[in-house]
Amino acid sequence: MRPRGSRLRRALLTALVTASVALPVSGAARPAAVPAPAPAVLGPLGAATPAALRERYTAGRDGIRAAERMALRHGDRQRAASLRAMAAPGRHFLAFDGRDGGRTAEVFGDLSRPRRIAVLVPGAGVDLDHYGRLRRGAEALLGELGGGSAVVAWLGYRTPATVSPAALTAGRADEAAPRLRSFVRELGASRPAARVSVLCHSYGSVVCAGAASGLDVADLVLYGSPGTGADSAAALRTGATVRAGRGADDWIAGVPHLELELPFVTVGFGTDPVAPEFGAEVFDAGDGGHSDYLEPGSVPLRSIAAIVAGEAGRHA
């Protein structure tokens, strides 16, 4: 006989699925509906010299400005304003594609000579129209890390809407994982001496789990995670140290950590990454909520920065 607690969790997850399917996902199609030109074809970054980076950043800025012009012709002033801000002097994009909600890789700090690099992988609801939180988190992390560091905000996939059936399955993550592996491989080859950590928020942890076996990085950091689709850190088959944290007020704790087989799809992501049976190294994520992990001055920001710097013992 199935334990009552297990039945309750399954019932809760089923209700969550039903609600997500039934609720109108207003705005989910909107970001993808704004047209943008195809990006220029770029070769591998190679050695991240200042000259090579300037060339890459110029190509990114040109692509953003072209997308801004197309958004204006389409009549979407909100998107055009977002793109105009992205094209401002001092902002640096290794990659940009304005189609289908947007794909970007923005660099914070000096990528030509970092000792450590953090790659941020966002979760659901992030696109060109809702990019500010990702950018602010990258800036806060760079500020906490200080000199000798670079942070890359990698919006390299079509994120699901926060309230949507896609946010409950691994479909978008399965599409994203090969792109993340390829990007991190290219980044690592450009700065082979740097210590690289991949930081995965919320649904982004599902993306990172799918890519994990192909990531040659020091740390894989899961925070605000609904699960990874794996039963344990060992099942991710990565040489990285797998770390996990969750704020005390994060609503994701209430999401049932199991996988539910439905016709044609599996819903849910299994074992809680902060649970002892998962086997990750759990870090102090403070008392904050789901969007608070990279808030300036916060406990989780200090913990994550210590991990990226290779000094996690100070905040374990």
Side-chain angles (χ1 to χ4, degrees), residues 188-214:
S190 73
R191 303 307 315 166
R195 187 181 197 279
V196 180
S197 301
V198 179
L199 315 181
C200 319
H201 179 234
S202 194
Y203 187 87
S205 63
V206 188
V207 176
C208 292
S213 62

Side-chain angles (χ1 to χ4, degrees), residues 24-312:
V25 188
S26 60
R30 183 186 175 280
V34 183
V41 177
L42 302 173
L45 178 60
T49 63
L53 289 168
R54 280 196 301 272
E55 183 177 348
R56 194 67 169 256
Y57 297 156
T58 297
R61 188 168 292 109
D62 289 345
I64 294 168
R65 286 171 174 161
E68 178 195 349
R69 292 191 293 270
M70 188 169 284
L72 280 173
R73 288 196 296 271
H74 183 68
D76 194 314
R77 295 185 177 277
Q78 178 183 343
R79 172 65 61 83
S82 297
L83 293 169
R84 191 175 309 115
M86 286 183 168
R91 295 190 67 175
H92 301 131
F93 288 84
L94 285 173
F96 176 82
D97 183 347
R99 299 172 299 177
D100 197 23
R103 312 280 189 278
T104 69
E106 185 173 8
V107 176
F108 300 81
D110 185 355
L111 194 58
S112 70
R113 52 182 180 182
R115 296 189 302 273
R116 48 195 172 248
I117 301 171
V119 179
L120 298 184
V121 181
V126 181
D127 53 43
L128 293 181
D129 294 334
H130 305 89
Y131 184 77
R133 188 169 69 243
L134 179 61
R135 182 190 179 199
R136 289 190 295 272
E139 290 174 328
L141 179 58
L142 182 65
E144 188 70 27
L145 286 167
S149 306
V151 177
V152 183
W154 184 82
L155 176 56
Y157 74 111
R158 184 166 60 106
T159 64
T162 303
V163 181
S164 69
L168 301 172
T169 71
R172 298 284 177 89
D174 291 343
E175 295 172 3
R179 298 172 187 159
L180 178 60
R181 277 196 299 267
S182 177
F183 177 78
V184 173
R185 188 179 301 120
E186 181 179 343
L187 190 63
S190 73
R191 303 307 315 166
R195 187 181 197 279
V196 180
S197 301
V198 179
L199 315 181
C200 319
H201 179 234
S202 194
Y203 187 87
S205 63
V206 188
V207 176
C208 292
S213 62
L215 295 177
D216 183 13
V217 298
D219 300 288
L220 194 66
V221 184
L222 316 172
Y223 52 104
S225 174
T228 64
D231 292 333
S232 66
L236 297 177
R237 295 183 293 113
T238 176
T241 301
V242 179
R243 306 179 188 272
R246 185 172 65 225
D249 198 33
D250 189 340
W251 59 263
I252 206 78
V255 173
H257 289 283
L258 52 87
E259 291 180 294
L260 178 62
E261 296 287 342
L262 297 177
F264 310 112
V265 69
T266 299
V267 176
F269 304 110
T271 308
D272 185 348
V274 301
E277 59 267 28
F278 188 77
E281 294 194 12
V282 177
F283 63 89
D284 186 356
D287 298 326
H290 193 63
S291 300
D292 298 335
Y293 291 93
L294 299 180
E295 282 295 308
S298 67
V299 168
L301 178 64
R302 291 195 297 270
S303 295
I304 291 169
I307 292 168
V308 173
E311 302 170 355

